[in-house]
Amino acid sequence: MVVTLASASASTSLAALTAAGPCTEPTARQLIKEHDLNGFQLPNPVLQLLCGPFTGPGSQAMAVVVGPLPTCWPSQEWAVFSLTGGVWKLVLHQTWFIQPPLVAVGSDIQETRPVFRPGDSRCIPTGGTRAHLWHWDGTRFVAGPWKQVKPPVTRAEIYSPSRNLGCQMIDQSSGSSVVCASYKPLHWVSLALDGRLHICPRGPRCTGNWGEDTHFRLLAYGKQITVGRFRCYSLRAGMRCIVIRSGKGFLINRVGITRVG
C-alpha cells in the first residue's frame, strides 16, 4: 500500500547509503534486503509504505512497516529512509510491536503501539493502545509524548490450550465478574469482585450461553491476562482466576473447582 505523506519513527539514525530509486514497494523491498530488516525471510516484507516530506520541507522520505510476521502480531519493525544526493539513507529504525498503520500528521509520523501490562501474553496486550508523533528536528527524528488512544481492556474471552476450559472476564460499569466453564465434564464457576463464588457442579443443569458477540482467544500455558481488577492464569493444572486485590478466586479443571485465596 502506498500513501502520500506519511509517517516517521523514533531514535537516532544510521547513515548507511543504499541504492537509488523512486518511493515504491520494489525500492522499499530492496532497502529492506540491503539493511537486513527481513529477519523472517518473507517474500514480500512490505506491510505499509508511506511517502512524504518527513525529513524537512521539500524532502523525499519513505516510512516502511515490515511484516506481517509469522506470529500473532502484525508487525514489530519499521524504518524511515531519506533520499539524499540521489540515494536512500536509513535515518530511523524501530523494533517494537506496533499497531499499523503509521499515519501522516502533516510532515510528522504517528506511531501507535499496544500497551502490555505486567504478565500480559505476547499475543494479548490488555492495556489498550497509545500513540505519539515522530518529528524531524533538522538532523534526526525526535519522539513526542505518548497519548492513550484506546482504553485498557475491560472484557475478554479466553480458552485453554486443551480447548476444554473457557472463561469470560468482564470489569465494566454494567457489571464485573469472571465466569469459567469446563465442557467435558460440564461444570462452571463465577467469581465476583468481593471474592464470592457461585459454583455449578457437574450435571446437565450446568448450562449457559456465552452470547453471540463472544470471541474466544487462546491463552497459552504459563501466560496470564488482566482485565480490570481480575486476573486469570492458564496452567497445566487448569485455569486459575482471582480478584487481584484480595487474591481470592478459584482453580477450575476437568476434575472440578477449587477455591483459592
Side-chain angles (χ1 to χ4, degrees):
M1 174 178 67
V2 178
V3 183
T4 56
L5 286 183
S7 67
S9 149
S11 106
T12 59
S13 300
L14 308 178
L17 296 179
T18 61
C23 181
T24 60
E25 287 195 13
T27 302
R29 286 195 296 270
Q30 182 179 355
L31 291 169
I32 288 173
K33 180 179 180 180
E34 291 178 358
H35 290 275
D36 196 24
L37 305 182
N38 187 11
F40 286 88
Q41 301 299 308
L42 301 172
N44 183 12
V46 181
L47 179 62
Q48 182 188 6
L49 173 63
L50 293 174
C51 306
F54 306 125
T55 52
S59 67
Q60 296 184 54
M62 70 167 77
V64 184
V65 179
V66 181
L69 301 178
T71 68
C72 59
W73 204 255
S75 180
Q76 60 185 52
E77 187 170 10
W78 64 285
V80 180
F81 300 88
S82 180
L83 188 62
T84 305
V87 294
W88 291 100
K89 182 173 69 173
L90 177 65
V91 293
L92 180 63
H93 181 210
Q94 290 291 291
T95 55
W96 192 257
F97 286 102
I98 71 168
Q99 182 71 59
L102 297 174
V103 178
V105 180
S107 60
D108 295 338
I109 300 173
Q110 178 177 287
E111 174 192 27
T112 302
R113 292 184 186 177
V115 179
F116 287 84
R117 295 192 285 197
D120 276 356
S121 164
R122 174 187 176 94
C123 298
I124 311 178
T126 64
T129 58
R130 60 180 182 170
H132 65 173
L133 296 178
W134 287 98
H135 175 75
W136 183 257
D137 71 356
T139 58
R140 64 189 181 93
F141 279 102
V142 178
W146 288 105
K147 294 184 179 180
Q148 191 80 16
V149 176
K150 184 178 178 181
V153 173
T154 59
R155 171 174 172 163
E157 291 86 22
I158 56 175
Y159 61 86
S160 65
S162 70
R163 305 299 200 276
N164 189 55
L165 302 175
C167 297
Q168 183 178 72
M169 307 171 68
I170 298 175
D171 191 5
Q172 302 173 340
S173 58
S174 57
S176 300
S177 66
V178 177
V179 179
C180 290
S182 166
Y183 302 112
K184 294 182 180 180
L186 183 61
H187 49 273
W188 60 260
V189 57
S190 66
L191 170 66
L193 276 173
D194 60 6
R196 287 183 299 171
L197 300 181
H198 179 201
I199 298 174
C200 184
R202 299 185 192 182
R205 66 189 181 87
C206 293
T207 60
N209 191 335
W210 295 111
E212 294 182 359
D213 61 342
T214 303
H215 303 284
F216 284 88
R217 294 185 293 178
L218 174 69
L219 187 64
Y221 290 135
K223 300 299 182 179
Q224 65 187 58
I225 181 172
T226 299
V227 173
R229 291 163 284 183
F230 296 108
R231 183 170 295 151
C232 286
Y233 304 82
S234 180
L235 309 172
R236 292 189 180 279
M239 196 72 75
R240 180 173 178 263
C241 298
I242 62 170
V243 179
I244 296 172
R245 184 171 183 178
S246 66
K248 294 182 178 180
F250 61 85
L251 174 70
I252 184 172
N253 52 32
R254 183 181 299 273
V255 176
I257 299 160
T258 305
R259 295 178 184 269
V260 299

